[in-house]
Amino acid sequence: MLDDATKAQLKSYLERATQPIEIVASLDGSEASGEVLSLLKDVAESSPLVKLTESRDDPHRKPSFSINRPGENHGPRFAGLPMGHEFTSLILALLQIGGYPPKVEQPVLEQIRALDGDFDFEVYVSLTCHNCPDVVQALNLMAVQNPRIKTTMIEGGTFQDEVKEREIMGVPTVFLNGTMFGNGRMSLEEILAKIDTSGVEREAKIIDKKEAFDVLIVGGGPAGAAAAVYAARKGIRTGVASERFGGQVLDTLGIENFISIKETEGPKFAHALEEHVRNYDVDIMNLQRAKALVPNSGPDKNLIEVQLESGASLKSKSIVISTGARWRNINVPGEHEFKNKGVAYCPHCDGPLFKGKRVAVIGGGNSGVEAAIDLAGIVGHVTLIEFDTALRADAVLQRKLNSLQNVTVITNAQTTEITGDQKVNGLVYKDRAGGELKTVELEGVFIQIGLVPNTDWLKGVVDLSKHGEIIVDAKGQTSVPGVFAAGDVTTVPFKQIIIAAGEGAKAALSAFDYLIRSPIPA
């Protein structure tokens, strides 16, 4: 199953294990079981600590296998072949069962061990999904730490009947004790917050008691991470309050234009950002969504307050806002109703679920045309719909698109409705030239029409452009003294990772300059 190079890499990883590992495989006579068995034999041969046992009589999905400590049976389970992006999930599960400590803070581990209840998670994935491993690895870690938690990764391509029966049209999709738990990427902290609400309240109380920062960064994407590093290097008290560290980068598959890094993937890049920030004395507060900005706060009216959705609030002498942007919705009937039931935003994650089916891509810019090209190699047919009279993507992408036989391009068209019953079955658009309504029968709609800045919480406080972006000057200063901004949330043109990082560094230096020139002790 594995080539020699991968076997050598696996062997070097498993040398870090210090305790016995038992793999119990549930198999039948299918070709898929043969592939799983071949993989597991390669794993067992990579370390003397790994013991492989086959079973054809247990009630679990076939093919599947669990990874356990000797004498236990609650370890992580993989149903189907964990290759592609999930191969890393397999390696981490082996290492953690084998005694290698996870890179998670001790309070989080204690929270997992203290969970009171029986939790049986099932997470459906596709092997091309770059968001799925985060969820699989978080749930695997929880199962390793707490015997009352069980989890199974289910590869949708192997178990297509289940995918169809449960009407899964987006990955990752998680069920808890047989009931829908969540869709899309979730971090370990986010999962814990959903099942341990008292933990959210405890965290809010801790945050509320924090002393004022010198620089508080709101947002943890490339701009926020750069701002945190540059501020911390000045030796001033620095904090980061972020809804999810990594931001939009977590939803990006390939990164090939960040200078000095030839190519990487969004989740890996986001992890590297967080690791870099944690090398400094920075107080990172994750899962914290900003609700309001209050200038002139504190007893001497010399602080700026950020109120959070959790009920807590933070104060600082200066602020850097780097809350980024989110996918723009088309806001037509059916979009919200059929989200994850045929309406999707990530072709890399959800494309394999539409194998052989008819889909539409809405948007004729680079992201839309790239999505159509990617999907054309998986689905039966792609209809690309663009509002303008011509596509706006780069010429090289348009040439590639036009060479594909299973793609139809419709321009000068306004999407008016996404139709369906329990799931998407069509799309209605208006021909802007003639005004008539037309229907396209299909099973999936991928929306790729750009981004909208996350500034709803700033309206009426900070000056915004007509597009909702924060207006900044050459130093990143906003209309409020001491409040700076950087990245995709601002009016700075060209929304690129490398530009956001540079703007974050600039905003932090500007904040430091503000502090040393103001009467506020820093």
Side-chain angles (χ1 to χ4, degrees), residues 27 29 70 163 167 201 214 256 307 356 358 363 375 436 446 454:
L27 306 171
V163 169
E167 297 184 343
E201 296 172 0
D214 291 315
E256 300 177 349
Q307 297 175 351
R358 299 161 299 176
L375 289 166
E436 64 269 30
F446 289 82
N454 294 315

Side-chain angles (χ1 to χ4, degrees), residues 213-471:
F213 292 93
D214 291 315
V215 176
L216 174 65
I217 295 119
V218 185
V229 169
Y230 269 74
R233 286 174 63 87
K234 293 296 184 181
I236 56 180
R237 180 167 160 75
T238 304
V240 176
S242 173
E243 190 170 353
R244 56 172 190 161
F245 207 100
Q248 190 191 339
V249 169
L250 291 165
D251 303 322
T252 304
L253 181 59
I255 299 172
E256 300 177 349
N257 56 0
F258 194 91
I259 308 306
S260 82
I261 299 176
K262 185 177 179 181
E263 58 181 327
T264 186
E265 295 174 351
K268 290 182 181 179
F269 188 83
H271 180 69
L273 289 178
E274 185 169 358
E275 276 196 333
H276 194 174
V277 174
R278 289 190 183 277
N279 281 336
Y280 293 91
D281 187 15
V282 177
D283 188 347
I284 297 178
M285 296 157 282
N286 220 342
L287 295 186
Q288 301 303 321
R289 184 174 185 176
K291 183 176 69 174
L293 182 71
V294 184
N296 305 317
S297 183
D300 298 323
K301 303 294 183 183
N302 59 358
L303 297 176
I304 305 162
E305 180 181 355
V306 175
Q307 297 175 351
L308 305 172
E309 292 283 0
S310 65
S313 65
L314 294 164
K315 292 182 174 64
S316 183
K317 298 164 187 172
S318 66
I319 300 283
V320 174
I321 300 171
S322 57
T323 46
R326 62 188 182 276
W327 290 114
R328 186 182 298 276
N329 295 321
I330 54 176
N331 295 318
V332 300
E335 179 182 17
H336 176 74
E337 293 84 345
F338 298 113
K339 186 177 181 181
N340 295 316
K341 296 179 181 179
V343 173
Y345 299 84
C346 179
H348 306 292
C349 300
D350 300 333
L353 297 176
F354 296 86
K355 184 177 181 179
K357 297 180 179 180
R358 299 161 299 176
V359 304
V361 173
I362 300 176
N366 281 349
S367 59
V369 172
E370 287 173 351
I373 292 170
D374 288 344
L375 289 166
I378 302 171
V379 305
H381 188 271
V382 179
T383 301
L384 188 146
I385 297 178
E386 163 59 27
F387 182 85
D388 207 345
T389 55
L391 300 183
R392 295 167 285 108
D394 295 342
V396 64
L397 293 175
Q398 292 194 45
R399 285 195 296 270
K400 175 63 176 177
L401 183 74
N402 292 331
S403 72
L404 301 174
Q405 298 298 312
N406 63 335
V407 175
T408 300
V409 177
I410 302 174
T411 57
N412 208 19
Q414 179 183 358
T415 303
T416 59
E417 183 180 4
I418 297 171
T419 62
D421 186 6
Q422 297 299 315
K423 54 187 178 181
V424 168
N425 61 21
L427 176 148
V428 179
Y429 72 90
K430 182 173 74 173
D431 183 338
R432 295 178 61 222
E436 64 269 30
L437 294 176
K438 299 184 179 181
T439 299
V440 180
E441 294 184 357
L442 42 74
E443 288 78 36
V445 178
F446 289 82
I447 298 171
Q448 302 280 298
I449 59 169
L451 303 169
V452 57
N454 294 315
T455 55
D456 293 343
W457 62 290
L458 297 169
K459 290 178 179 178
V461 180
V462 176
D463 286 350
L464 306 176
S465 72
K466 64 180 181 180
H467 301 297
E469 299 165 318
I470 301 174
I471 299 172

